[in-house]
């Protein structure tokens, strides 16, 4: 079981981290991968787009002079999840370890409740909720052998307040399901030294929503918040780093809100 240690210098030195949904050029996954590399981790980036994630990993490895690899993974397919984790473990830089998993893969759709079709509901919940479950299941196998690990899953402020930014009720429900699942995971696997926590971002300057909103428009939407601006992906990545490293060695089953005070509880 990993215990707290001296935390000066790189916080993830000697550890292997896997991050899903990490291929996009302007996304939380890439920002998290970059920060983890800066803190000494060997980082495995996963994405549905094999070419994009391979390019992202190569760019980050060169920029940060670190170890990064990009692999294809369809989180809705259990066989694909298991294959990706097996490939990560066999990567020489990982040295057979899996210390951190960040479940970041997701999709959204802006729909009113009456507009959501069965197919759209299935599509969103398959990626956001079932994908989080399945990739975690694959990662738990090596973490149990190690008797240590940190699993971090991306939820959303939308799950906590019933929308209000982008994403329909099916997206809100799936992201709320992530919160419940992570608490259950924390309870079941805590005795094995595995921690499980969630991060709930608010409005963030990414291309996730695939909308026509500009960064200026997003900042304008946040004008009335205590911190009156949208977040950068790096600010969400910072919460992931905290949960990944020994600074949070006694933190499990919790949710870190990164929303500029837009939603307080």
């Amino acid at each position: 079981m990993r215990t707290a240690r001296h935390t000066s210098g790189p916080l993830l030195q000697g550890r292997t981290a896997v991050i899903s949904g990490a291929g996009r050029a302007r996304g939380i996954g890439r920002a998290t991968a970059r920060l983890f590399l800066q803190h000494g981790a060997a980082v495995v980036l996963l994405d549905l787009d094999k070419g994009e994630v391979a390019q992202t990993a190569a760019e980050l490895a060169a920029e940060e002079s670190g170890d990064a690899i990009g692999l294809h993974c369809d989180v809705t397919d259990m066989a694909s999840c298991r294959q990706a984790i097996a490939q990560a473990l066999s990567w020489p830089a990982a040295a057979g370890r899996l210390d951190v998993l960040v479940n970041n893969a997701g999709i959204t759709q802006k729909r009113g409740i009456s507009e959501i079709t069965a197919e759209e509901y299935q599509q969103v919940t398959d990626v956001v909720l079932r994908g989080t479950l399945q990739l975690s299941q694959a990662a738990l196998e090596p973490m149990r052998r190690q008797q240590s690990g940190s699993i971090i899953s991306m939820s959303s402020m939308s799950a906590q307040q019933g929308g209000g930014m982008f994403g329909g009720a099916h997206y809100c429900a799936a992201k709320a399901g992530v919160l419940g699942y992570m608490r259950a995971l924390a309870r079941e696997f805590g005795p094995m030294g595995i921690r499980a926590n969630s991060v709930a971002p608010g409005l963030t300057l990414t291309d996730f929503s695939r909308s026509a909103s500009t960064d200026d428009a997003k900042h304008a939407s946040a004008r009335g918040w205590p911190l009156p601006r949208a977040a950068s992906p790096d600010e969400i990545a910072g919460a992931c780093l905290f949960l990944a490293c020994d600074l949070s060695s006694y933190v499990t089953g919790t949710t870190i809100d990164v929303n500029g005070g837009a939603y307080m509880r």
Side-chain angles (χ1 to χ4, degrees), residues 18-21 46 48 73-82 84-85 101-107 121-140 151-154 174-175 177-178 181-182 185:
V18 173
I19 305 170
S20 69
L46 305 181
L48 192 59
C73 182
D74 178 356
V75 296
T76 69
D77 181 348
M78 190 68 212
S80 181
C81 291
R82 292 194 186 282
I85 294 300
L101 170 66
V102 180
N103 287 303
N104 177 66
I107 59 172
Y121 174 86
Q122 191 75 50
Q123 183 183 19
V124 169
T125 56
D126 274 357
V127 175
V128 173
L129 187 53
R130 186 157 65 90
T132 295
L133 168 67
Q134 292 184 158
L135 191 57
S136 297
Q137 287 174 325
L140 281 166
I151 298 179
I152 302 154
S153 292
M154 209 60 61
K175 286 296 189 180
V178 167
Y181 167 63
M182 293 303 289
L185 199 160

Side-chain angles (χ1 to χ4, degrees), residues 176-247:
V178 167
L179 298 179
Y181 167 63
M182 293 303 289
R183 291 171 189 142
L185 199 160
R187 186 180 297 276
E188 183 174 346
F189 287 92
M192 302 174 200
I194 300 168
R195 298 184 295 109
N197 295 285
S198 302
V199 174
L203 190 59
T204 307
L205 300 177
T206 70
D207 297 326
F208 173 64
S209 64
R210 299 190 184 274
S211 69
S213 297
T214 64
D215 287 357
D216 287 344
K218 290 178 181 178
H219 284 309
S221 297
R223 194 167 292 143
W225 297 352
L227 299 181
R229 59 176 177 81
S232 74
D234 293 338
E235 290 173 308
I236 314 303
C240 293
L241 175 64
F242 169 69
L243 292 173
C245 77
D246 287 341
L247 291 173

